[in-house]
């Protein structure tokens, strides 16, 4: 349970702006990181699949927007509803892809893949994704929107593994796609359960 002093730091506007900036820049870098896969997808698959390719940057984008809603709470019902959906997507997908990315890198390392400094950077950043969203979940208003966010994430998973547009894996894991697929769906459900647990502002929703 967070202490009062920790809560004051987390919701301090200067700290929120700092975190917003870090996540905004990280999101841009994430989309750039997916550049090659986006180009390959555009050349070989229907264009409607493109938004479903960069999973981690989109999760980061949801959290970045969620921080903006903390800085500037919406007044209208429509935008408040949108806020709940984005926050629900932020929590589920940030937990999921934070754990997923680290798991794939570690699994590749166990099968002989060389873990480079870029891999270590990805593990640190994706671990941070999961931790920060867990710290902020209690300040969000998303519980009513969790079922819809879960359905969207499961749809994303289904498209990823039906069309083969899941995030590129280490080569040593290319023969384990079915196992990765099963792990991914289970992780989505696990992330939704974890997203339901935080109390606070969510409790009344």
């Amino acid at each position: 349970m967070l202490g009062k002093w920790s809560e004051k730091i987390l919701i301090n506007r200067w700290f929120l702006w700092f975190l917003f900036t870090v996540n905004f820049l990280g999101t841009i870098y994430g989309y750039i990181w997916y550049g090659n896969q986006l180009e390959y997808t555009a050349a070989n698959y229907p264009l409607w699949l493109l938004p479903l390719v960069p999973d981690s940057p989109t999760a980061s984008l949801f959290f970045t927007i969620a921080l903006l809603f903390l800085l500037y709470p919406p007044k209208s019902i429509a935008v408040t509803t949108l806020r709940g959906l984005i926050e629900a997507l932020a929590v589920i997908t940030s937990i999921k892809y934070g754990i997923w990315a680290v798991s794939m890198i570690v699994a590749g390392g166990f099968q002989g893949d060389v873990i480079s400094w870029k891999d270590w950077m990805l593990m640190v950043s994706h671990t941070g994704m999961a931790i920060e969203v867990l710290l902020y979940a209690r300040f969000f208003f998303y519980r009513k929107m969790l079922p819809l966010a879960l359905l969207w994430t499961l749809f994303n998973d289904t498209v990823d593994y039906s069309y083969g547009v899941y995030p590129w894996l280490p080569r040593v894991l290319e023969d384990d796609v079915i196992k990765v697929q099963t792990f991914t769906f289970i992780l989505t459900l696990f992330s939704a359960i974890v997203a339901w647990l935080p109390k606070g502002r969510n409790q009344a929703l």
Side-chain angles (χ1 to χ4, degrees):
M1 181 176 180
L2 291 173
K4 292 295 182 181
W5 65 271
S6 299
E7 291 188 11
K8 287 182 180 179
I9 292 174
L10 290 175
I11 61 175
N12 177 275
R13 293 188 68 83
W14 288 107
F15 188 76
L16 284 171
W17 274 117
F18 168 75
L19 208 58
F20 173 86
T21 302
V22 170
N23 279 272
F24 179 75
L25 295 176
T27 298
I28 293 174
Y29 178 77
Y31 282 115
I32 294 173
W33 179 276
Y34 269 87
N36 290 336
Q37 186 171 356
L38 287 169
E39 289 180 9
Y40 180 83
T41 302
N44 296 278
Y45 294 90
L47 293 180
W48 68 269
L49 292 171
L50 283 175
L52 301 175
V53 171
D55 294 328
S56 293
T58 302
S60 177
L61 177 62
F62 288 140
F63 182 69
T64 302
I65 298 173
L67 290 175
L68 200 59
F69 281 131
L70 284 179
L71 286 162
Y72 299 102
K75 299 294 191 295
S76 70
I77 295 176
V79 181
T80 299
T81 302
L82 176 63
R83 172 187 183 175
L85 178 59
I86 289 176
E87 289 175 345
L89 288 166
V91 177
I92 290 180
T93 59
S94 293
I95 295 170
K96 173 190 173 180
Y97 293 115
I99 296 173
W100 189 92
V102 174
S103 299
M104 293 305 107
I105 294 171
V106 171
F110 273 114
Q111 293 197 30
D113 192 36
V114 176
I115 298 181
S116 67
W117 67 268
K118 290 184 178 180
D119 294 319
W120 286 107
M121 177 194 70
L122 288 173
M123 285 195 284
V124 170
S125 62
H126 282 78
T127 299
M129 280 176 57
I131 292 174
E132 67 182 3
V133 83
L134 287 172
L135 288 173
Y136 276 92
R138 66 179 299 148
F139 303 116
F140 293 161
F141 299 84
Y142 64 81
R143 182 160 287 189
K144 284 185 178 179
M145 290 297 176
L146 267 181
L148 185 57
L150 173 59
L151 287 176
W152 168 258
T153 310
L154 289 171
F155 168 74
N156 194 2
D157 292 343
T158 302
V159 170
D160 277 357
Y161 292 94
S162 296
Y163 287 87
V165 292
Y166 50 82
W168 284 347
L169 299 168
R171 289 187 178 181
V172 294
L173 295 181
E174 289 177 354
D175 58 347
D176 295 316
V177 173
I178 299 300
K179 294 178 181 178
V180 172
Q181 175 183 333
T182 302
F183 174 72
T184 300
F185 276 92
I186 292 173
L187 190 54
T188 295
L189 297 175
F190 169 79
S191 299
I193 293 171
V194 174
W196 183 263
L197 297 179
K199 297 181 180 179
R201 297 181 182 181
N202 264 309
Q203 199 170 24
L205 299 181

